[in-house]
Amino acid sequence: MLDLARRGGLTGDKDDDVPLDVAPLFETVPDLQAAPAILRELLRDETYRRHLAGRGNRQMVMIDYSDSNKECGIAAARWAIQEAQRALVDVAQEEGVDLTLFHCRGGSASRGGGKVHRAVLAAPRGTVRGRLRLTEQGESINAKYGLRGIALRTLEQTAGAVALATAAPPPADPREPAWTALMAEIARDAGRSSVGQK
């Protein structure tokens, strides 16, 4: 992509400088499961790291909700998204990169819809860190932003949740490994059940 941008003349002050951010998109469950390895490989590419250094070592990764839900159901899809977020943050920290997760949300619950502030507060520890990027699509645009007062309240709740998740993330809970194992089992069984119904 960077080479294509250079050939198209999309360069900055230097001839090889491309003032574009590259944001990989992970949509399906296999994509989400492979996301940490893909990001690690990308961040270890010398050409890409030079480009990223020029962008302040800030990397964005897009996570989509609807495709994973369509293939295996909401429980398995949401758990894959949760696990991918944790693993992507770990990779970014190992590689010394500042990661922003970009959530591509639709209107319905199956497409990632719902109250943004609740989603932010439920995100894995360390995945928000003062920044949040998301899209909202479909009927949720009018419902959340159609009237000025409601739009301001939506933005206020979202900004408050980002501040809270950043400044006071929930402490580690000793029961977390048991919860994680149980949720992984639920997601695995729900995914099998969903695939079997198609």
Side-chain angles (χ1 to χ4, degrees), residues 16-160:
D16 62 344
D17 176 40
V18 177
L20 295 173
D21 292 321
V22 176
L25 168 61
F26 301 104
E27 299 183 273
T28 65
V29 170
D31 290 346
L32 291 163
Q33 291 168 340
I38 292 169
L39 181 62
R40 183 176 284 110
E41 185 177 349
L42 177 64
L43 296 178
R44 290 185 177 174
D45 181 88
E46 290 180 20
T47 302
Y48 186 70
R49 275 315 281 260
R50 280 195 303 275
H51 167 74
L52 203 60
R55 308 296 296 159
N57 280 318
R58 293 174 182 252
Q59 178 65 54
M60 186 175 303
V61 171
M62 298 175 69
I63 295 173
D64 185 75
Y65 288 69
S66 59
D67 283 4
S68 56
N69 180 71
K70 283 187 269 188
E71 77 181 358
C72 66
I74 196 166
R78 288 293 176 89
W79 187 245
I81 289 168
Q82 192 86 346
E83 290 293 277
Q85 289 181 80
R86 281 193 190 107
L88 288 165
V89 166
D90 289 345
V91 169
Q93 287 176 342
E94 290 166 16
E95 299 296 329
V97 169
D98 197 8
L99 181 69
T100 299
L101 293 169
F102 183 174
H103 299 267
C104 302
R105 298 163 44 98
S108 66
S110 63
R111 296 182 61 219
K115 297 187 181 294
V116 175
H117 67 280
R118 288 186 181 169
V120 170
L121 294 174
R125 271 186 309 279
T127 59
V128 178
R129 296 189 344 263
R131 292 180 313 281
L132 174 71
R133 185 159 181 173
L134 59 92
T135 60
E136 296 220 72
Q137 304 162 18
E139 67 276 8
S140 65
I141 295 173
N142 188 52
K144 293 181 181 180
Y145 307 100
L147 298 173
R148 180 178 170 78
I150 294 172
L152 290 172
R153 180 64 178 149
T154 299
L155 293 172
E156 177 184 84
Q157 287 178 325
T158 302

